[in-house]
Amino acid sequence: MQYNKFIDHTLLKPDATLAGIKKLCAEAREYDFMSVCVNPFFVPVAKKLLAGSDVKVCTVIGFPLGANTPYIKAVEAKKAIDDGADEIDMVINVSMAKEHDYEYIENEVRLVREASEGKTLKVILETCLLTDDEIIATSKASKAAGADFVKTSTGFSKGGATVEAVKLMREAVGPDMGVKASGGIHTRKEMLAMIEAGATRIGASCGVELMKE
C-alpha cells in the first residue's frame, strides 16, 4: 500500500514562513505525498514550487472557525482555485451544526461545491465539537451537497481526529466517499488505526516522520 499517497503534508500555522513552505514542498516532492495543505496566501507559491510533480496543492476555506458566510466561503474557494489550488478543505458553520440546521450546512457546502467544480472538495466537520448524532448528520449533509470528502478536524480546536469519529463518518457516507482524518496524528500506529477505521486521506504536519517510522 502506498501510504505516502494517503498524506496531505500540512503547514497551516499562522506564523508559517516562506522558508517553511519551501521545505514543505521539497519534502512533498521527495516523498511524493498526495498534496501539500497550506493557507490560501501560499497557494501560488506552492503551485510554483510543485510544478512538474504530481503533488497537489490543497488549501483551507473559512479556516479555522467556519464562521464566515457561505458567500464568502464560495468566493474564497474560487479565488484559491484561480491561484492554483487543486483541492479545497472548507470548514462548516459549526454553530449551525450545533443548532441542528443541517439544511444550512448542506446549502453552504453546495455553494462551495459550485464554486469549486472540478476540484476535490473536503468538508471539515470539527468533530471534537459535535455529538455522534451531529457528526452523522453533518456527514450526510456534506454528501448530499456533492462533497468528495468529509474531514474530522482543523487541528486548531480542542481535539483532533479519533478512530471513533472516523468510523461514524465512514458509516454515514458509505464506502465510496472519501474520509480524511486530520489533527493530532503523530505516529504510524495512529495513522494505520485511522485507515483501518475508514480514512482514505490523512492530514498531518509530520508526514516525513510518518514515512520514516
PDB file of all heavy atoms in Angstrom, residues 154-178:
ATOM      1  N   THR A 154      -9.830  20.679  12.090  1.00  0.00           N
ATOM      2  CA  THR A 154      -8.897  21.712  11.631  1.00  0.00           C
ATOM      3  C   THR A 154      -7.517  21.536  12.251  1.00  0.00           C
ATOM      4  O   THR A 154      -6.514  21.985  11.704  1.00  0.00           O
ATOM      5  CB  THR A 154      -9.397  23.118  12.025  1.00  0.00           C
ATOM      6  OG1 THR A 154      -9.453  23.202  13.463  1.00  0.00           O
ATOM      7  CG2 THR A 154     -10.749  23.418  11.435  1.00  0.00           C
ATOM      8  N   GLY A 155      -7.469  20.924  13.437  1.00  0.00           N
ATOM      9  CA  GLY A 155      -6.238  20.880  14.206  1.00  0.00           C
ATOM     10  C   GLY A 155      -6.059  22.106  15.076  1.00  0.00           C
ATOM     11  O   GLY A 155      -5.054  22.238  15.776  1.00  0.00           O
ATOM     12  N   PHE A 156      -7.045  23.024  15.063  1.00  0.00           N
ATOM     13  CA  PHE A 156      -6.951  24.266  15.818  1.00  0.00           C
ATOM     14  C   PHE A 156      -8.006  24.376  16.907  1.00  0.00           C
ATOM     15  O   PHE A 156      -8.136  25.415  17.547  1.00  0.00           O
ATOM     16  CB  PHE A 156      -7.058  25.474  14.878  1.00  0.00           C
ATOM     17  CG  PHE A 156      -5.810  25.733  14.093  1.00  0.00           C
ATOM     18  CD1 PHE A 156      -5.475  24.948  13.000  1.00  0.00           C
ATOM     19  CD2 PHE A 156      -4.946  26.754  14.455  1.00  0.00           C
ATOM     20  CE1 PHE A 156      -4.319  25.175  12.268  1.00  0.00           C
ATOM     21  CE2 PHE A 156      -3.779  26.993  13.732  1.00  0.00           C
ATOM     22  CZ  PHE A 156      -3.466  26.196  12.646  1.00  0.00           C
ATOM     23  N   SER A 157      -8.779  23.316  17.131  1.00  0.00           N
ATOM     24  CA  SER A 157      -9.791  23.337  18.175  1.00  0.00           C
ATOM     25  C   SER A 157      -9.301  22.511  19.365  1.00  0.00           C
ATOM     26  O   SER A 157      -8.105  22.277  19.517  1.00  0.00           O
ATOM     27  CB  SER A 157     -11.120  22.823  17.633  1.00  0.00           C
ATOM     28  OG  SER A 157     -12.171  23.063  18.550  1.00  0.00           O
ATOM     29  N   LYS A 158     -10.214  22.037  20.198  1.00  0.00           N
ATOM     30  CA  LYS A 158      -9.816  21.376  21.442  1.00  0.00           C
ATOM     31  C   LYS A 158      -9.462  19.900  21.266  1.00  0.00           C
ATOM     32  O   LYS A 158      -9.053  19.252  22.230  1.00  0.00           O
ATOM     33  CB  LYS A 158     -10.919  21.513  22.479  1.00  0.00           C
ATOM     34  CG  LYS A 158     -12.232  20.815  22.107  1.00  0.00           C
ATOM     35  CD  LYS A 158     -13.258  21.031  23.206  1.00  0.00           C
ATOM     36  CE  LYS A 158     -14.553  20.283  22.901  1.00  0.00           C
ATOM     37  NZ  LYS A 158     -15.551  20.470  23.991  1.00  0.00           N
ATOM     38  N   GLY A 159      -9.604  19.376  20.061  1.00  0.00           N
ATOM     39  CA  GLY A 159      -9.259  17.985  19.807  1.00  0.00           C
ATOM     40  C   GLY A 159      -9.088  17.729  18.334  1.00  0.00           C
ATOM     41  O   GLY A 159      -9.464  18.553  17.496  1.00  0.00           O
ATOM     42  N   GLY A 160      -8.506  16.583  18.009  1.00  0.00           N
ATOM     43  CA  GLY A 160      -8.276  16.219  16.617  1.00  0.00           C
ATOM     44  C   GLY A 160      -9.043  14.973  16.223  1.00  0.00           C
ATOM     45  O   GLY A 160     -10.131  14.697  16.751  1.00  0.00           O
ATOM     46  N   ALA A 161      -8.469  14.236  15.304  1.00  0.00           N
ATOM     47  CA  ALA A 161      -9.122  13.037  14.792  1.00  0.00           C
ATOM     48  C   ALA A 161      -9.169  11.944  15.848  1.00  0.00           C
ATOM     49  O   ALA A 161      -8.237  11.793  16.644  1.00  0.00           O
ATOM     50  CB  ALA A 161      -8.384  12.540  13.557  1.00  0.00           C
ATOM     51  N   THR A 162     -10.253  11.195  15.856  1.00  0.00           N
ATOM     52  CA  THR A 162     -10.351   9.987  16.677  1.00  0.00           C
ATOM     53  C   THR A 162     -10.841   8.842  15.802  1.00  0.00           C
ATOM     54  O   THR A 162     -11.546   9.062  14.807  1.00  0.00           O
ATOM     55  CB  THR A 162     -11.328  10.157  17.856  1.00  0.00           C
ATOM     56  OG1 THR A 162     -12.670  10.325  17.336  1.00  0.00           O
ATOM     57  CG2 THR A 162     -10.955  11.353  18.723  1.00  0.00           C
ATOM     58  N   VAL A 163     -10.479   7.638  16.188  1.00  0.00           N
ATOM     59  CA  VAL A 163     -10.938   6.454  15.467  1.00  0.00           C
ATOM     60  C   VAL A 163     -12.455   6.389  15.479  1.00  0.00           C
ATOM     61  O   VAL A 163     -13.100   6.050  14.474  1.00  0.00           O
ATOM     62  CB  VAL A 163     -10.317   5.184  16.082  1.00  0.00           C
ATOM     63  CG1 VAL A 163     -11.028   3.929  15.593  1.00  0.00           C
ATOM     64  CG2 VAL A 163      -8.831   5.104  15.754  1.00  0.00           C
ATOM     65  N   GLU A 164     -13.042   6.736  16.616  1.00  0.00           N
ATOM     66  CA  GLU A 164     -14.499   6.671  16.752  1.00  0.00           C
ATOM     67  C   GLU A 164     -15.198   7.619  15.777  1.00  0.00           C
ATOM     68  O   GLU A 164     -16.197   7.244  15.141  1.00  0.00           O
ATOM     69  CB  GLU A 164     -14.903   7.011  18.193  1.00  0.00           C
ATOM     70  CG  GLU A 164     -14.479   5.995  19.229  1.00  0.00           C
ATOM     71  CD  GLU A 164     -12.983   6.024  19.544  1.00  0.00           C
ATOM     72  OE1 GLU A 164     -12.332   7.070  19.290  1.00  0.00           O
ATOM     73  OE2 GLU A 164     -12.461   4.999  20.024  1.00  0.00           O
ATOM     74  N   ALA A 165     -14.675   8.832  15.648  1.00  0.00           N
ATOM     75  CA  ALA A 165     -15.277   9.794  14.723  1.00  0.00           C
ATOM     76  C   ALA A 165     -15.138   9.334  13.282  1.00  0.00           C
ATOM     77  O   ALA A 165     -16.073   9.454  12.484  1.00  0.00           O
ATOM     78  CB  ALA A 165     -14.645  11.166  14.912  1.00  0.00           C
ATOM     79  N   VAL A 166     -13.975   8.807  12.939  1.00  0.00           N
ATOM     80  CA  VAL A 166     -13.755   8.320  11.569  1.00  0.00           C
ATOM     81  C   VAL A 166     -14.733   7.197  11.245  1.00  0.00           C
ATOM     82  O   VAL A 166     -15.315   7.152  10.149  1.00  0.00           O
ATOM     83  CB  VAL A 166     -12.293   7.866  11.388  1.00  0.00           C
ATOM     84  CG1 VAL A 166     -12.112   7.132  10.053  1.00  0.00           C
ATOM     85  CG2 VAL A 166     -11.355   9.060  11.456  1.00  0.00           C
ATOM     86  N   LYS A 167     -14.949   6.294  12.185  1.00  0.00           N
ATOM     87  CA  LYS A 167     -15.900   5.201  11.966  1.00  0.00           C
ATOM     88  C   LYS A 167     -17.311   5.738  11.737  1.00  0.00           C
ATOM     89  O   LYS A 167     -18.030   5.269  10.844  1.00  0.00           O
ATOM     90  CB  LYS A 167     -15.889   4.250  13.161  1.00  0.00           C
ATOM     91  CG  LYS A 167     -14.669   3.347  13.238  1.00  0.00           C
ATOM     92  CD  LYS A 167     -14.759   2.428  14.446  1.00  0.00           C
ATOM     93  CE  LYS A 167     -13.574   1.475  14.505  1.00  0.00           C
ATOM     94  NZ  LYS A 167     -13.624   0.608  15.714  1.00  0.00           N
ATOM     95  N   LEU A 168     -17.709   6.716  12.543  1.00  0.00           N
ATOM     96  CA  LEU A 168     -19.046   7.310  12.381  1.00  0.00           C
ATOM     97  C   LEU A 168     -19.192   7.961  11.009  1.00  0.00           C
ATOM     98  O   LEU A 168     -20.226   7.814  10.343  1.00  0.00           O
ATOM     99  CB  LEU A 168     -19.291   8.355  13.469  1.00  0.00           C
ATOM    100  CG  LEU A 168     -19.593   7.855  14.881  1.00  0.00           C
ATOM    101  CD1 LEU A 168     -19.629   9.035  15.845  1.00  0.00           C
ATOM    102  CD2 LEU A 168     -20.914   7.094  14.930  1.00  0.00           C
ATOM    103  N   MET A 169     -18.165   8.685  10.593  1.00  0.00           N
ATOM    104  CA  MET A 169     -18.198   9.365   9.300  1.00  0.00           C
ATOM    105  C   MET A 169     -18.264   8.361   8.163  1.00  0.00           C
ATOM    106  O   MET A 169     -19.033   8.536   7.204  1.00  0.00           O
ATOM    107  CB  MET A 169     -16.974  10.276   9.171  1.00  0.00           C
ATOM    108  CG  MET A 169     -17.008  11.450  10.148  1.00  0.00           C
ATOM    109  SD  MET A 169     -15.387  12.172  10.476  1.00  0.00           S
ATOM    110  CE  MET A 169     -15.028  12.960   8.910  1.00  0.00           C
ATOM    111  N   ARG A 170     -17.470   7.308   8.257  1.00  0.00           N
ATOM    112  CA  ARG A 170     -17.478   6.278   7.216  1.00  0.00           C
ATOM    113  C   ARG A 170     -18.843   5.614   7.125  1.00  0.00           C
ATOM    114  O   ARG A 170     -19.378   5.403   6.016  1.00  0.00           O
ATOM    115  CB  ARG A 170     -16.381   5.248   7.515  1.00  0.00           C
ATOM    116  CG  ARG A 170     -16.390   4.022   6.593  1.00  0.00           C
ATOM    117  CD  ARG A 170     -16.385   4.376   5.124  1.00  0.00           C
ATOM    118  NE  ARG A 170     -15.131   4.999   4.723  1.00  0.00           N
ATOM    119  CZ  ARG A 170     -15.006   5.806   3.680  1.00  0.00           C
ATOM    120  NH1 ARG A 170     -16.073   6.112   2.941  1.00  0.00           N
ATOM    121  NH2 ARG A 170     -13.846   6.336   3.355  1.00  0.00           N
ATOM    122  N   GLU A 171     -19.435   5.288   8.253  1.00  0.00           N
ATOM    123  CA  GLU A 171     -20.767   4.670   8.253  1.00  0.00           C
ATOM    124  C   GLU A 171     -21.807   5.613   7.666  1.00  0.00           C
ATOM    125  O   GLU A 171     -22.720   5.179   6.951  1.00  0.00           O
ATOM    126  CB  GLU A 171     -21.150   4.270   9.679  1.00  0.00           C
ATOM    127  CG  GLU A 171     -20.331   3.113  10.234  1.00  0.00           C
ATOM    128  CD  GLU A 171     -20.545   2.900  11.724  1.00  0.00           C
ATOM    129  OE1 GLU A 171     -21.402   3.602  12.310  1.00  0.00           O
ATOM    130  OE2 GLU A 171     -19.843   2.047  12.304  1.00  0.00           O
ATOM    131  N   ALA A 172     -21.653   6.911   7.942  1.00  0.00           N
ATOM    132  CA  ALA A 172     -22.641   7.887   7.478  1.00  0.00           C
ATOM    133  C   ALA A 172     -22.592   8.093   5.968  1.00  0.00           C
ATOM    134  O   ALA A 172     -23.640   8.239   5.321  1.00  0.00           O
ATOM    135  CB  ALA A 172     -22.436   9.220   8.193  1.00  0.00           C
ATOM    136  N   VAL A 173     -21.385   8.103   5.395  1.00  0.00           N
ATOM    137  CA  VAL A 173     -21.263   8.437   3.961  1.00  0.00           C
ATOM    138  C   VAL A 173     -21.171   7.211   3.061  1.00  0.00           C
ATOM    139  O   VAL A 173     -21.243   7.334   1.838  1.00  0.00           O
ATOM    140  CB  VAL A 173     -20.044   9.352   3.706  1.00  0.00           C
ATOM    141  CG1 VAL A 173     -20.161  10.642   4.513  1.00  0.00           C
ATOM    142  CG2 VAL A 173     -18.729   8.641   4.005  1.00  0.00           C
ATOM    143  N   GLY A 174     -21.002   6.030   3.654  1.00  0.00           N
ATOM    144  CA  GLY A 174     -20.915   4.827   2.848  1.00  0.00           C
ATOM    145  C   GLY A 174     -19.501   4.558   2.365  1.00  0.00           C
ATOM    146  O   GLY A 174     -18.556   5.263   2.720  1.00  0.00           O
ATOM    147  N   PRO A 175     -19.334   3.547   1.513  1.00  0.00           N
ATOM    148  CA  PRO A 175     -17.996   3.074   1.155  1.00  0.00           C
ATOM    149  C   PRO A 175     -17.279   3.886   0.085  1.00  0.00           C
ATOM    150  O   PRO A 175     -16.058   3.747  -0.070  1.00  0.00           O
ATOM    151  CB  PRO A 175     -18.262   1.656   0.647  1.00  0.00           C
ATOM    152  CG  PRO A 175     -19.654   1.726   0.085  1.00  0.00           C
ATOM    153  CD  PRO A 175     -20.396   2.666   0.990  1.00  0.00           C
ATOM    154  N   ASP A 176     -17.994   4.727  -0.651  1.00  0.00           N
ATOM    155  CA  ASP A 176     -17.403   5.330  -1.847  1.00  0.00           C
ATOM    156  C   ASP A 176     -16.888   6.754  -1.661  1.00  0.00           C
ATOM    157  O   ASP A 176     -16.070   7.232  -2.447  1.00  0.00           O
ATOM    158  CB  ASP A 176     -18.420   5.305  -2.993  1.00  0.00           C
ATOM    159  CG  ASP A 176     -18.847   3.887  -3.351  1.00  0.00           C
ATOM    160  OD1 ASP A 176     -17.990   2.994  -3.284  1.00  0.00           O
ATOM    161  OD2 ASP A 176     -20.035   3.687  -3.675  1.00  0.00           O
ATOM    162  N   MET A 177     -17.358   7.464  -0.657  1.00  0.00           N
ATOM    163  CA  MET A 177     -16.934   8.846  -0.425  1.00  0.00           C
ATOM    164  C   MET A 177     -15.649   8.863   0.404  1.00  0.00           C
ATOM    165  O   MET A 177     -15.394   7.957   1.207  1.00  0.00           O
ATOM    166  CB  MET A 177     -18.045   9.589   0.302  1.00  0.00           C
ATOM    167  CG  MET A 177     -17.813  11.088   0.444  1.00  0.00           C
ATOM    168  SD  MET A 177     -19.280  11.871   1.167  1.00  0.00           S
ATOM    169  CE  MET A 177     -18.694  13.547   1.376  1.00  0.00           C
ATOM    170  N   GLY A 178     -14.831   9.885   0.214  1.00  0.00           N
ATOM    171  CA  GLY A 178     -13.590   9.997   0.960  1.00  0.00           C
ATOM    172  C   GLY A 178     -13.827  10.426   2.402  1.00  0.00           C
ATOM    173  O   GLY A 178     -14.766  11.162   2.706  1.00  0.00           O
TER     174      GLY A 178
END
